[in-house]
């Protein structure tokens, strides 16, 4: 349950940039939330949104199986902004007509603004021209009753629209992307001008409301926190501890899938630099047994997730009357685990889709609404040291999802040795803090090589380094060639069993950051 008085609800129709809409709104210190377009009208109404955004999407509104939201949302008396597909859906549902365009618009386009109020308040005197980003093959041919055009483009006579009596606005372009130079201005005008929001969603206010929420939920009960040493679980522990103090017990589980020296450094940090009560459990053998012979990535994630829960429940029974489990689920985890339009989720996150239905502990997920950079901001607001906040993300399933195929002690040893070299070189070169994530992946193939005068047939290791803001989208890092060369040379020379190193230059989408 969220304690936000003002919120913008975004209904997602499948656009790759829907998450960017949420981020751009939050950057204005206004809370936003993404829900699938199938959200029931009564549930939407109960959320009491201050405004509603209809996202873009790949479908055409006139298709038989087009994603359609409940038209009753236009009767809620709430301002609505339609973007691209969302604009076309709004116009069609309110009585207009959308057809396949003779000339499509993809990429940069020039917007001709004819009405400098509403979404375009503060712009130059009309007519004025601005670069925007278009991505559509359909266009609005006939406006719905009450709507008038506020901007045009080369191939869109209705590139932006407004209703003359109701707070409904629509744009054919994407204001959320950086290529739309007036995008932030357009969103600000919707958020503050049409919706009347106040910029009061800050990490300070988030702490106050979340601490109150945790106290109200837990009362005098006891809480376990799954502590991995990563940013998410560390900030979760700090926030829950601020709310309930000694009622919190943290559990660090060494699942045998950690990096070299990771367990020792994590425990040392929390025992020396925090007031948290931490229990450590060595369960490496248990997890390796569970993963023996398993190659399917979804099955690996779920077995790791189940293993954690089994241990947490055993510890809860030892402590007596523990009802709650706190964990660092983030908003991207939730979004990627949702089934959209009947399709499978991107992946089962160990703390979202990887938990067994029979789990006895009730979850507390105070970061569930936040993106990663917001979590870091929250950690600093809580007074946590930078060394804990600016660590690169490390997945809950650990090296288990960085080994393609079966996880064995031998293959873990190869990956650990390689991973140490990657991290050392990234830090020594000053690139560690410049990128979002950098790591090694052990592939399930072997290739021919030559070492000395002999033929080798050994493992291939992939390097992965990406730039991102929130893990929802990412681009591969343009690391210097000499840095890549040093990493490759050291791994091949220092790690027995590897004779080839490759660099992953895939962006997200279509690839994910982790390989499994």
């Amino acid at each position: 349950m969220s304690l936000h008085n003002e919120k913008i609800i975004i209904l997602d129709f499948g656009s790759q940039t829907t998450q960017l809409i949420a981020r751009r709104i939050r950057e204005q210190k206004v809370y936003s939330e993404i829900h699938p377009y199938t959200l029931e009208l009564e549930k939407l109404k109960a959320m009491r949104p201050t405004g509603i955004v209809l996202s873009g999407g790949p479908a055409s509104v006139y298709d038989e199986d087009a994603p359609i939201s409940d038209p009753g949302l236009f009767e809620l008396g709430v301002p609505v902004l339609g973007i691209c597909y969302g604009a076309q859906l709004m116009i069609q549902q309110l009585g207009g007509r959308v057809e396949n365009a003779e000339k499509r618009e993809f990429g940069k386009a020039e917007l001709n603004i004819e009405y400098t109020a509403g979404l375009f308040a503060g712009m130059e005197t009309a007519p004025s021209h601005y670069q925007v980003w278009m991505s559509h093959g359909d266009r609005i041919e006939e406006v719905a009753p009450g709507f008038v055009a506020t901007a045009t483009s080369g191939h869109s006579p209705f590139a932006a629209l407004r209703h003359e009596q109701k707070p409904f606005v629509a744009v054919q372009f994407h204001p959320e992307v950086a290529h739309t130079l007036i995008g932030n201005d357009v969103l600000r005008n919707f958020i503050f001008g049409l919706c009347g929001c106040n910029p009061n969603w800050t990490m300070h206010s988030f702490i106050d409301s979340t601490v109150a929420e945790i106290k109200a939920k837990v009362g005098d009960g006891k809480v376990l926190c799954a502590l991995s040493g990563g940013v998410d679980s560390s900030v979760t522990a700090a926030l829950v501890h601020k709310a309930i103090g000694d009622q919190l017990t943290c559990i660090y589980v060494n699942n045998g899938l950690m990096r070299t020296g990771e367990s020792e450094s994590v425990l040392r940090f929390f025992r020396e630099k925090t007031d948290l009560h931490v229990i450590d459990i060595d369960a490496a053998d248990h997890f390796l047994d569970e993963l023996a012979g398993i190659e399917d990535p979804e099955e690996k994630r779920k077995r790791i997730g189940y293993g954690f829960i089994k241990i947490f429940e055993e510890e809860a029974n030892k402590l007596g009357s523990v009802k709650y489990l706190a964990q660092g689920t983030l908003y991207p985890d939730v979004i990627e685990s949702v089934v959209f339009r009947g399709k499978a989720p991107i992946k089962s996150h160990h703390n979202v889709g990887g938990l067994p239905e029979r789990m006895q502990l009730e979850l507390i997920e105070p970061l569930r609404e936040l993106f990663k950079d917001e979590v870091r901001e929250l950690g600093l607001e809580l007074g946590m040291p930078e060394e804990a906040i600016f660590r690169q993300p490390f997945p809950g399933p650990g090296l288990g999802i960085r080994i393609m195929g079966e996880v064995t002690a031998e293959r873990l040893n190869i990956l650990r040795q390689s991973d140490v070299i990657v991290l050392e070189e990234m830090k020594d070169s000053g690139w560690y803090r410049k990128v979002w994530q950098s790591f090694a992946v052990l592939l399930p193939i072997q290739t021919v090589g030559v070492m000395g005068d002999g033929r080798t047939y050994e493992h291939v290791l992939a390097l992965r380094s990406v730039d991102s803001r929130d893990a929802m989208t990412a681009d591969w890092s343009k690391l210097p060639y000499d840095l890549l060369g040093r990493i490759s040379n050291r791994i091949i020379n220092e790690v027995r069993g590897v004779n080839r190193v490759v660099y992953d230059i895939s962006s997200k989408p279509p690839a994910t950051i982790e390989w499994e």
Side-chain angles (χ1 to χ4, degrees):
M1 177 181 169
S2 182
L3 296 178
H4 309 295
N5 293 324
E6 295 181 338
K7 63 172 76 73
I8 305 292
I9 297 297
I10 302 160
L11 295 185
D12 181 19
F13 292 90
S15 170
Q16 292 184 356
T17 58
T18 298
Q19 292 79 24
L20 283 178
I21 304 171
R23 291 204 48 77
R24 297 292 172 261
I25 295 172
R26 290 185 184 198
E27 286 168 3
Q28 304 303 321
K29 294 183 167 53
V30 173
Y31 181 68
S32 63
E33 218 171 72
I34 300 170
H35 291 274
Y37 71 92
T38 51
L39 182 68
E40 295 173 15
L41 185 62
E42 285 306 308
K43 290 183 179 178
L44 175 60
K45 187 176 181 180
M47 292 175 183
R48 300 177 65 186
T50 317
I52 298 170
V53 176
L54 309 179
S55 85
S60 294
V61 296
Y62 47 76
D63 289 344
E64 280 188 21
D65 62 345
I68 304 293
S69 54
D70 192 320
L73 66 86
F74 297 110
E75 305 298 324
L76 298 179
V78 174
V80 183
L81 166 63
I83 296 174
C84 195
Y85 178 90
Q88 295 169 2
L89 180 64
M90 175 190 293
I91 296 304
Q92 186 194 58
Q93 288 187 316
L94 294 176
R97 191 176 83 255
V98 176
E99 294 182 358
N100 184 256
E102 284 187 21
K103 292 185 177 180
R104 302 180 299 173
E105 287 184 305
F106 290 97
K108 295 176 183 177
E110 186 174 86
L111 187 75
N112 309 305
I113 297 175
E114 300 175 350
Y115 176 79
T116 54
L119 290 183
F120 303 118
M123 308 286 174
E124 295 175 11
T125 304
S128 52
H129 312 285
Y130 295 94
Q131 176 187 299
V132 296
W133 187 261
M134 296 281 196
S135 182
H136 63 99
D138 299 328
R139 76 175 193 178
I140 297 164
E141 293 292 348
E142 182 180 327
V143 299
F147 280 88
V148 294
T150 55
T152 64
S153 68
H155 300 301
S156 293
F158 305 109
L161 299 136
R162 69 180 179 92
H163 195 285
E164 293 185 292
Q165 282 82 41
K166 298 177 180 179
F168 303 153
V169 286
V171 293
Q172 188 60 75
F173 58 90
H174 286 268
E176 69 273 22
V177 303
H179 300 295
T180 296
L181 301 184
I182 56 170
N184 282 335
D185 300 302
V186 168
L187 289 174
R188 273 197 296 266
N189 284 331
F190 176 69
I191 297 163
F192 302 117
L194 273 74
C195 299
C197 292
N198 295 296
N200 54 17
W201 191 71
T202 63
M203 283 305 106
H204 183 78
S205 68
F206 178 84
I207 290 171
D208 289 344
S209 62
T210 306
V211 164
E213 190 174 3
I214 293 170
K215 284 181 176 178
K217 180 172 184 174
V218 173
D220 59 0
K222 295 178 182 178
V223 179
L224 287 183
C225 180
L227 192 62
S228 69
V231 180
D232 309 334
S233 68
S234 300
V235 173
T236 296
L239 187 57
V240 175
H241 187 262
K242 182 178 179 66
I244 61 172
D246 293 341
Q247 294 166 243
L248 172 69
T249 299
C250 296
I251 295 183
Y252 175 81
V253 178
N254 176 9
N255 60 3
L257 306 173
M258 305 300 286
R259 294 175 290 200
T260 299
E262 186 93 5
S263 296
E264 295 80 4
S265 64
V266 167
L267 290 169
R268 185 167 56 250
F269 170 81
F270 283 108
R271 284 171 176 164
E272 292 179 1
K273 298 192 176 182
T274 73
D275 296 326
L276 299 173
H277 173 49
V278 182
I279 296 173
D280 66 288
I281 296 168
D282 187 347
D285 291 342
H286 169 77
F287 280 88
L288 275 177
D289 288 345
E290 284 294 309
L291 293 172
I294 304 302
E295 297 185 1
D296 179 71
E298 278 290 282
E299 182 64 21
K300 282 200 284 188
R301 280 181 172 271
K302 288 181 178 179
R303 287 192 176 220
I304 294 167
Y306 293 176
F308 277 121
I309 295 304
K310 182 175 182 290
I311 291 168
F312 295 145
E313 290 182 338
E314 288 173 355
E315 291 304 311
N317 290 332
K318 291 178 187 176
L319 292 168
S321 67
V322 176
K323 184 180 178 182
Y324 301 99
L325 172 66
Q327 60 179 17
T329 308
L330 300 195
Y331 203 26
D333 300 341
V334 176
I335 294 169
E336 289 189 341
S337 297
V338 168
V339 175
F340 182 80
R341 296 190 72 188
K343 296 180 180 178
I346 295 172
K347 55 191 174 187
S348 292
H349 288 268
H350 68 286
N351 50 357
V352 182
L355 298 181
E357 292 181 7
R358 49 155 285 277
M359 189 178 78
Q360 298 166 10
L361 297 169
E362 188 176 336
L363 287 178
I364 293 176
E365 300 172 306
L367 311 184
R368 191 179 175 89
E369 301 167 345
L370 303 184
F371 290 99
K372 178 74 78 171
D373 59 331
E374 293 171 326
V375 173
R376 290 194 167 113
E377 186 183 344
L378 173 61
L380 295 175
E381 184 76 25
L382 287 165
M384 297 180 67
E386 288 196 3
E387 64 184 281
I389 296 305
F390 289 101
R391 294 184 59 189
Q392 290 184 1
F394 186 65
L399 301 180
I401 58 170
R402 291 180 179 174
I403 293 176
M404 306 296 100
E406 184 182 8
V407 178
T408 65
E410 178 190 1
R411 302 186 78 207
L412 275 166
N413 186 48
I414 292 173
L415 183 56
R416 282 198 183 98
Q417 293 180 62
S418 304
D419 188 77
V420 167
I421 293 170
V422 174
L423 293 181
E424 283 178 356
E425 291 296 335
M426 291 296 290
K427 289 176 179 177
D428 289 347
S429 65
W431 276 87
Y432 182 82
R433 286 278 295 271
K434 294 179 183 179
V435 304
W436 175 264
Q437 225 169 330
S438 51
F439 54 91
V441 180
L442 185 61
L443 305 188
I445 55 174
Q446 292 176 283
T447 63
V448 173
V450 178
M451 289 188 177
D453 294 321
R455 175 186 187 275
T456 63
Y457 189 61
E458 295 179 335
H459 293 90
V460 179
L461 195 93
L463 303 179
R464 179 73 157 147
S465 181
V466 297
D467 302 325
S468 182
R469 288 190 61 187
D470 50 34
M472 292 309 306
T473 59
D475 195 13
W476 60 279
S477 306
K478 313 307 186 283
L479 297 180
Y481 290 155
D482 59 345
L483 172 58
L484 290 171
R486 281 198 307 275
I487 293 173
S488 175
N489 190 56
R490 282 194 61 191
I491 289 173
I492 290 172
N493 280 287
E494 297 176 29
V495 181
R496 286 190 178 277
V498 177
N499 69 357
R500 191 179 301 270
V501 175
V502 298
Y503 188 47
D504 181 351
I505 57 170
S506 310
S507 296
K508 177 185 179 180
T512 53
I513 294 176
E514 298 290 347
W515 278 44
E516 287 191 339

